[in-house]
Amino acid sequence: MRVSEGGVEVEVPEQADEGIGDEVFFNPVQELNRDLTVAALRAYRDREERAEYYLDAMAASGIRGVRAAADGWNATLADIDPDAVELCERNLERNDLDGEVVQRDANALMHEEVFDVVDIDPFGTPIPFADAAFANTRDLVCVTATDTAPLCGAHFHSGVRKYSAVPRNTDYHAEMGVRVLLSAMARTAARYDAGVTPILTHATSHYVRTYLELDHSASDANAAIDELGHVYHCEDCLYREHDFGLVADPIETCPECGSERTLTAGPLWLGPAHDADFVAAVREELDDSMGTESKVERLLDTLEGELHEPTHYDQHRLCKEWGRAAPAMDEFLGDLRDAGYETSRTHYGGTTFKTPATVEAIREATRDS
Ligand SMILES: C[S@@+](CC[C@H](N)C(=O)[O-])C[C@H]1O[C@@H](n2cnc3c(N)ncnc32)[C@H](O)[C@@H]1O
Ligand SMILES: [Zn+2]
């Protein structure tokens, strides 16, 4: 079937079973991810003008790489599957575009050639590709992870194995996934004396996507490692706190309610997961050839204003815990602000918010909301 996306037209196989099957993979639901990729690549090129060489390391139909090539990137489309490679060639040709197409294991290719921007979009975890990506990429590594259950701690042992971290299933599970992924990426890059700065990160319908800018020195790697630490969480009253450092110092009892049902998660990335200026610049690069333009715009609006606190709250979850009916979000957040606390909504959901206030302080401040 033919698919038009972002001004290009590509041929993709009908997907027998949600992309799981013998055919070359294509997921229409990832259009938002691809629209955002194109806008982020544009904004990135303004920031780093010499960036030119883009690798779509797991290209499948090539739709992402074709869109990058149409946008002026010197694009290489790679896949291990010969059928995918053939399709990539046809899809570049169909759009009258130049680009390299290679049938190659992404790890081998990334070790052999240096690219300015590398895009890792595998089935499930990106971990098997992270070493090669950080060992050699010059400027920017874009990563999609679709294994959200291990990342957020719902599949605990798998998360521990894949990410060499302790993930915990909490009421902020999608953000747990973001911070486990960023932690593993930072630690992987550090092995190659590269420091990562996440300039854009979002958790959207069953995947996490992040854009990691690289600086290549041991001190940059150390600075990234300094952003790691642990979150301590009470399963009873939802109290949480965090501290930086690789050595955990868990709370045995909750300082708020005295419960011993406390969890420790980490090492997590506790630093910013986005750069608000970059997010705003990406929004400027959206255009109406993008099918998900207005959705991406809303996502970026929220992300731009999102505080960098390492965990968010869910108002419904808190109100349920307190036996209160959930009031309107604006009123609730307004009362919190009036009490002197910074607040922001988050992209993790319509009832989610961030604030440096503790659970008890939130409860007090919103008593009359
Ligand atoms: C999720 S799909 C990529 C989707 C595509 N980027 C898009 O936006 O539609 C993953 C692709 O990775 C390819 N792949 C799996 N292992 C690989 C490897 N070691 N090296 C290169 N490609 C690989 C698969 O053949 C598959 O086409
Ligand atoms: Zn507690």
Side-chain angles (χ1 to χ4, degrees):
M1 77 186 163
R2 299 235 174 111
V3 171
S4 293
E5 210 185 86
V8 304
E9 188 184 270
V10 295
E11 179 77 32
V12 300
E14 301 279 353
Q15 301 292 305
D17 185 13
E18 293 183 347
I20 304 157
D22 291 341
E23 298 289 2
V24 175
F25 178 87
F26 175 74
N27 185 356
V29 174
Q30 291 275 359
E31 184 176 2
L32 180 142
N33 183 337
R34 291 185 289 264
D35 284 349
L36 193 39
T37 301
V38 170
L41 289 177
R42 286 179 186 163
Y44 191 73
R45 197 163 37 193
D46 285 348
R47 187 175 168 122
E48 184 56 72
E49 282 174 6
R50 79 178 162 70
E52 180 186 350
Y53 290 93
Y54 168 81
L55 170 65
D56 182 357
M58 286 118 214
S61 69
I63 186 158
R64 201 179 293 257
V66 168
R67 291 186 61 179
D71 229 46
W73 287 86
N74 198 324
T76 299
L77 285 58
D79 204 288
I80 203 163
D81 172 3
D83 293 339
V85 168
E86 208 177 288
L87 194 55
C88 287
E89 274 162 358
R90 286 209 304 273
N91 282 330
L92 275 172
E93 214 173 277
R94 176 187 300 279
N95 290 281
D96 224 359
L97 291 165
D98 290 330
E100 282 282 309
V101 181
V102 281
Q103 186 194 343
R104 196 91 178 99
D105 182 296
N107 281 323
L109 180 62
M110 290 187 286
H111 278 300
E112 281 163 6
E113 279 185 49
V114 177
F115 298 90
D116 299 322
V117 179
V118 163
D119 208 314
I120 307 286
D121 184 25
F123 295 127
T125 176
I127 284 291
F129 305 102
D131 279 90
F134 292 115
N136 266 340
T137 305
R138 205 173 272 137
D139 295 313
L140 186 72
V141 174
C142 320
V143 179
T144 305
T146 57
D147 57 331
T148 51
L151 276 171
C152 75
H155 292 173
F156 178 78
H157 293 292
S158 172
V160 170
R161 289 197 306 274
K162 293 282 179 306
Y163 293 97
S164 307
V166 176
R168 291 296 188 184
N169 202 359
T170 57
D171 46 307
Y172 38 91
H173 48 91
E175 186 158 19
M176 179 64 64
V178 160
R179 293 184 183 279
V180 167
L181 177 68
L182 293 178
S183 163
M185 296 297 105
R187 285 178 282 121
T188 305
R191 286 199 278 278
Y192 305 95
D193 286 350
V196 298
T197 305
I199 53 177
L200 173 60
T201 307
H202 59 106
T204 307
S205 57
H206 311 304
Y207 67 90
V208 177
R209 172 79 167 166
T210 186
Y211 299 76
L212 301 160
E213 187 169 35
L214 304 183
D215 287 291
H216 293 277
S217 79
S219 56
D220 292 314
N222 289 341
I225 295 296
D226 284 345
E227 299 287 359
L228 303 180
H230 296 82
V231 166
Y232 312 111
H233 174 92
C234 172
E235 289 193 279
D236 283 322
C237 73
L238 308 180
Y239 169 88
R240 72 285 303 261
E241 63 180 60
H242 64 271
D243 62 12
F244 287 84
L246 291 177
V247 181
D249 183 15
I251 50 171
E252 275 174 24
T253 53
C254 171
E256 205 75 68
C257 73
S259 165
E260 290 180 359
R261 296 200 327 127
T262 57
L263 299 173
T264 298
L268 304 180
W269 176 267
L270 298 179
H274 70 274
D275 164 349
D277 291 341
F278 184 72
V279 172
V282 175
R283 190 180 44 223
E284 292 304 304
E285 300 295 349
L286 298 173
D287 67 50
D288 58 16
S289 75
M290 299 173 176
T292 69
E293 185 192 9
S294 52
K295 265 194 195 163
V296 178
E297 195 169 0
R298 280 199 300 280
L299 170 64
L300 294 175
D301 281 344
T302 310
L303 267 178
E304 187 191 358
E306 198 169 298
L307 294 176
H308 295 305
E309 299 302 317
T311 65
H312 65 265
Y313 296 99
D314 185 327
Q315 187 230 33
H316 279 185
R317 184 75 181 79
L318 287 176
C319 288
K320 189 169 163 220
E321 196 65 36
W322 302 333
R324 285 187 201 163
M329 273 297 274
D330 285 342
E331 196 185 328
F332 181 88
L333 296 182
D335 284 345
L336 198 48
R337 262 182 227 119
D338 289 346
Y341 298 107
E342 242 191 314
T343 68
S344 75
R345 287 183 182 255
T346 91
H347 76 289
Y348 295 103
T351 56
T352 65
F353 65 100
K354 290 199 172 196
T355 178
T358 63
V359 174
E360 194 47 38
I362 302 169
R363 182 182 185 153
E364 258 318 293
T366 60
R367 195 168 285 283
D368 300 320
S369 298

